[in-house]
Amino acid sequence: MNDNEIKPSTNFIRTIIDDDLKTNKYQGRVHTRFPPEPNGYLHIGHAKSICLNFGIALDYNGKCNLRFDDTNPVKEEDEYVNSIIEDVRWLGFDWGPMVLYASDYFEQMYEYAVQLIKKGKAYVDDLTADEIREYRGTLKMPGKESPYRDRSMEDNLDLFEKMRSGEFPDGSRVLRAKIDMKSGNLNMRDPVMYRILHSTHHRTGDKWCIYPMYDWAHGLEDSIEGITHSICTLEFEDHRPLYDWYLDELDIYHPQQIEFARLNLNYTVMSKRKLLQLVKEKHVSGWDDPRMPTISGMRRRGYTPEAIREFADRVGVAKANSTADIALLEHCLREDLNKRAKRVMAVLKPIKVIITNYPEDKVEELEAENNPEDASAGTRKIYFSREIYIEEDDFREDAPSKYFRLAPGKEVRLKHAYYITCEKVIKDDKTGEIIELHCSYDPKSKGGWTDDGRKVKGTLHWVSVQHAVKAEVRLYEHLFVKEFPEDNPDGTTFIEQINPESLIILKDCMVEPGLKTAKLGDRYQFLRNGYFCLDPDSIEDKLVFNRTTSLRDSWAKIEKKLES
RNA sequence: UGGGGUGUAGCCAAGUGGUAAGGCAGCGGGUUUUGGUCCCGCCAUUCGUAGGUUCGAAUCCUGCCACCCCAGCCA
């Protein structure tokens, strides 16, 4: 045994599976599923569930189905099924030969319902929706039985068939399970199994006008597919007795449902309803706005599937409600990007520097490493000349004590190039604004090093003026200013907590010429600035980059302390 | 006495009767041609709380407290 061995992450669900394997409960099978309703885009919370379910299948040599829980035609659309398929695939998972749909089992479910009716365990109810609610009772008061509860089996069969054949209008009747109107668990108070909905389904069209309810359908779907461990979120815990009741009454294959706490993340919102509101009210540019916690938004932002999977792994799986820190997500991102991103130089807020003792027409080609973390990434040539751009924030006229970037009279290193010393600050006579800096360079420092032992602490990134390519850069921050945007005792809404600086567009950035050939999906580290990727808004001659995330910035911390 | 859950550090989370893993955040230091990365160190005498059982309790028992979910013909 090696002490340094990495322990595979485990959790209570895997413990249950281990036990089931020991007792041979499912003949050694492990079969999970990810069952989204196609009524919205997937978000990071779904990613946790996806990684959990597909991850278990992978580790236990089992299977995981991708199954659309499409039992409500009024909310579901093909646009959503397509985006979900794309997202799960992008996250890196496979689900076997085909995508599955609950709607493929509608006929089978109907037959099962007929069985329950024949068994005297289900009945057609003529009560209105309002009446059903009244009859259900309250949390503390028992419900009462519907007057239609004791219809004959023949009447129920006949009525149910007529429901199916379209003889009744929406809402006029439902099929209910006959269980216990006095149960402490409201889910057991004669739950509705089918409702009438004359609505076109995205897959079955107008074939059906009755649709199964979640509680009735879901266990059947799992049973039909031979799922062993049906993993879902906590709010379904008190639906489990009903899940079990249906399968037991039907006497069919019985998976086991296991519940875990869904992911919450600070500085964002996760409910589909709220995400939809952000999109509809145009607070963001769409479901794939890089500030959204959606998979498509994160993909556009530059997140990698690896980083998301690592996050899902590290955040853990348990039953306690919790809110993960978005800093952990960002840590996983940086960890991955640090290994793979090509380093390039890009000046976001340019200020011009003229190197007065450098020949006017000279251009040098210098060698630059592409990734200090990965020698196989190789090197590239960069151009150096008399006029360059450096970052506005890398120069201070009045530098604080610990500031070791450029300041009047101070010497810094230009990464991969030369040492320069600031000799003169040129300002606009009227506005006092700094126009350019005059510096001198030390020809003996080529490559950014001298052997005289001189201490040059600061290293700046730069771009040659005549070689620079202009680009637009979009800087993103948390979408909300508050850690818990939904928690507002003052009566404001989460919309009012939107961070006005969550998107800052910089239009005059100057980047290395090599970036002209950047492709979608390429990851870069703009040296000392952060990780960036090309945005699909880029067109010929107009580069647009998204900041995926900044680099950790210990100088910012020091400066903050200095101020206080 | 409606029913179902959960409480371990600022945030997650292991631990299943033998004397509190790990990660993130934070703090201190070292290396560094990115104030990045990397490396080293610090960070719970205590597990919601009060009792009890035991040689020994985060783990077992009892009471209490706090928080979350459920009254869709949504999922």
Side-chain angles (χ1 to χ4, degrees):
Chain A
M1 238 342 227
N2 181 348
D3 286 347
N4 297 322
E5 232 173 76
I6 298 163
K7 287 181 203 146
S9 65
T10 190
N11 56 55
F12 78 100
I13 295 177
R14 285 168 180 258
T15 303
I16 290 171
I17 294 174
D18 290 337
D19 289 346
D20 291 344
L21 252 20
K22 267 182 213 137
T23 60
N24 207 32
K25 188 167 175 184
Y26 300 101
Q27 295 79 237
R29 295 166 52 234
V30 174
H31 199 161
T32 57
R33 103 263 98 121
F34 174 63
E37 182 189 15
N39 69 342
Y41 280 64
L42 258 28
H43 54 62
I44 182 73
H46 294 109
K48 173 179 178 179
S49 174
I50 291 166
C51 293
L52 214 210
N53 280 291
F54 283 95
I56 283 172
L58 241 31
D59 292 349
Y60 286 90
N61 219 303
K63 292 180 187 162
C64 180
N65 294 349
L66 172 60
R67 178 180 73 224
F68 287 97
D69 207 356
D70 54 349
T71 57
N72 184 357
V74 315
K75 289 188 175 177
E76 297 152 6
E77 294 173 25
D78 275 332
E79 177 196 350
Y80 297 129
V81 345
N82 294 333
S83 75
I84 290 168
I85 289 172
E86 182 187 3
D87 289 349
V88 176
R89 186 166 283 146
W90 179 77
L91 278 171
F93 298 107
D94 279 309
W95 49 80
M98 49 198 273
V99 172
L100 304 172
Y101 296 85
S103 52
D104 285 340
Y105 314 138
F106 281 173
E107 192 65 50
Q108 172 79 267
M109 290 174 185
Y110 180 85
E111 280 162 29
Y112 281 140
V114 168
Q115 272 183 45
L116 279 196
I117 293 172
K118 285 181 176 163
K119 224 185 147 185
K121 298 289 186 175
Y123 63 97
V124 173
D125 196 351
D126 300 3
L127 254 27
T128 65
D130 283 345
E131 286 167 332
I132 286 181
R133 190 183 320 117
E134 273 178 50
Y135 276 64
R136 185 154 35 226
T138 67
L139 292 179
K140 295 191 176 177
M141 297 290 290
K144 57 183 181 190
E145 297 180 351
S146 165
Y148 303 95
R149 197 175 199 257
D150 293 313
R151 278 215 254 241
S152 73
M153 185 250 280
E154 290 74 18
D155 286 354
N156 283 137
L157 246 22
D158 179 56
L159 255 11
F160 187 47
E161 198 178 310
K162 286 178 171 147
M163 279 171 65
R164 175 181 183 166
S165 61
E167 294 190 28
F168 307 126
D170 285 4
S172 59
R173 276 176 241 259
V174 292
L175 183 73
R176 289 229 252 172
K178 192 190 282 189
I179 309 181
D180 177 10
M181 290 307 292
K182 294 189 291 294
S183 173
N185 180 348
L186 303 229
N187 295 122
M188 301 301 272
R189 319 241 263 228
D190 288 12
V192 172
M193 295 165 65
Y194 277 94
R195 74 283 214 187
I196 301 172
L197 241 35
H198 289 268
S199 172
T200 303
H201 186 276
H202 73 115
R203 294 188 76 243
T204 60
D206 295 318
K207 182 177 179 194
W208 294 87
C209 62
I210 56 171
Y211 290 92
M213 297 289 291
Y214 169 86
D215 284 315
W216 166 242
H218 204 86
L220 298 181
E221 294 159 26
D222 289 338
S223 176
I224 290 166
E225 292 176 12
I227 300 303
T228 55
H229 303 269
S230 172
I231 301 167
C232 65
T233 45
L234 252 29
E235 68 270 30
F236 294 104
E237 212 151 13
D238 41 4
H239 292 236
R240 180 160 24 105
L242 179 53
Y243 182 104
D244 292 338
W245 188 89
Y246 282 135
L247 297 173
D248 290 342
E249 288 296 334
L250 255 13
D251 194 25
I252 56 178
Y253 171 76
H254 197 149
Q256 69 173 309
Q257 175 177 301
I258 305 168
E259 309 84 10
F260 72 99
R262 61 151 36 108
L263 174 71
N264 294 296
L265 251 198
N266 54 12
Y267 295 103
T268 191
V269 295
M270 212 76 99
S271 87
K272 280 189 193 173
R273 205 205 98 233
K274 290 191 171 99
L275 294 176
L276 181 63
Q277 188 183 347
L278 289 169
V279 173
K280 285 228 160 114
E281 294 177 1
K282 308 229 184 265
H283 297 108
V284 295
S285 64
W287 284 100
D288 70 341
D289 186 299
R291 293 168 292 177
M292 292 281 273
T294 51
I295 303 301
S296 53
M298 294 171 75
R299 176 168 58 232
R300 183 168 178 179
R301 169 97 167 236
Y303 271 79
T304 60
E306 289 82 356
I308 292 173
R309 281 191 247 126
E310 179 66 16
F311 170 71
D313 197 49
R314 287 211 211 177
V315 82
V317 178
K319 294 194 70 161
N321 282 315
S322 61
T323 302
D325 193 338
I326 197 162
L328 176 60
L329 214 208
E330 289 165 352
H331 168 83
C332 295
L333 217 210
R334 291 192 181 105
E335 184 178 58
D336 186 42
L337 258 13
N338 176 53
K339 285 182 292 186
R340 70 206 301 170
K342 275 178 265 178
R343 314 292 127 128
V344 294
M345 295 202 282
V347 177
L348 270 28
K349 294 177 183 168
I351 171 172
K352 192 186 276 186
V353 171
I354 296 176
I355 300 162
T356 52
N357 59 339
Y358 194 89
E360 296 220 9
D361 300 327
K362 189 172 175 183
V363 173
E364 280 184 273
E365 270 196 353
L366 302 167
E367 179 113 337
E369 63 186 347
N370 288 327
N371 188 347
E373 306 296 320
D374 177 13
S376 73
T379 61
R380 69 187 184 286
K381 297 288 186 194
I382 53 174
Y383 298 106
F384 186 76
S385 64
R386 190 171 193 264
E387 297 190 3
I388 60 168
Y389 293 114
I390 65 164
E391 208 70 64
E392 194 180 272
D393 198 41
D394 284 339
F395 173 78
R396 295 284 169 86
E397 255 193 302
D398 301 303
S401 60
K402 288 180 180 167
Y403 187 84
F404 45 80
R405 303 178 188 177
L406 200 60
K410 285 189 71 177
E411 184 173 49
V412 298
R413 169 170 39 241
L414 294 177
K415 179 83 176 173
H416 303 308
Y418 291 100
Y419 291 171
I420 59 169
T421 302
C422 180
E423 315 279 9
K424 199 172 174 190
V425 182
I426 311 297
K427 296 181 183 177
D428 184 303
D429 288 341
K430 292 179 190 122
T431 64
E433 189 189 348
I434 296 171
I435 297 170
E436 59 187 38
L437 268 18
H438 286 5
C439 296
S440 61
Y441 86 116
D442 177 357
K444 291 194 295 296
S445 62
K446 186 170 180 180
W449 187 252
T450 58
D451 42 20
D452 60 4
R454 200 174 349 152
K455 275 244 167 29
V456 176
K457 184 105 167 134
T459 300
L460 311 187
H461 58 278
W462 54 274
V463 167
S464 163
V465 171
Q466 59 174 298
H467 304 282
V469 173
K470 200 165 158 179
E472 173 177 319
V473 169
R474 298 173 182 172
L475 305 179
Y476 301 103
E477 273 175 38
H478 300 155
L479 222 205
F480 297 95
V481 289
K482 286 180 62 181
E483 185 171 4
F484 303 105
E486 290 147 301
D487 181 20
N488 301 300
D490 59 358
T492 56
T493 69
F494 78 103
I495 294 291
E496 292 163 84
Q497 320 305 329
I498 291 176
N499 179 5
E501 295 181 349
S502 58
L503 168 61
I504 290 173
I505 299 176
L506 268 21
K507 289 185 182 287
D508 301 306
C509 306
M510 294 296 175
V511 307
E512 265 187 51
L515 250 15
K516 269 189 291 197
T517 57
K519 295 186 301 296
L520 249 32
D522 288 346
R523 329 270 176 190
Y524 295 98
Q525 184 193 106
F526 288 4
L527 221 63
R528 301 207 305 135
N529 262 319
Y531 296 99
F532 294 78
C533 67
L534 196 70
D535 186 87
D537 281 350
S538 295
I539 48 171
E540 182 86 28
D541 294 330
K542 192 208 171 195
L543 293 170
V544 179
F545 289 97
N546 293 319
R547 181 173 69 190
T548 307
T549 188
S550 62
L551 254 27
R552 288 185 69 212
D553 187 355
S554 57
W555 163 243
K557 278 182 198 167
I558 295 168
E559 200 174 25
K560 216 170 191 177
K561 267 189 213 161
L562 254 37
E563 281 166 13
S564 60

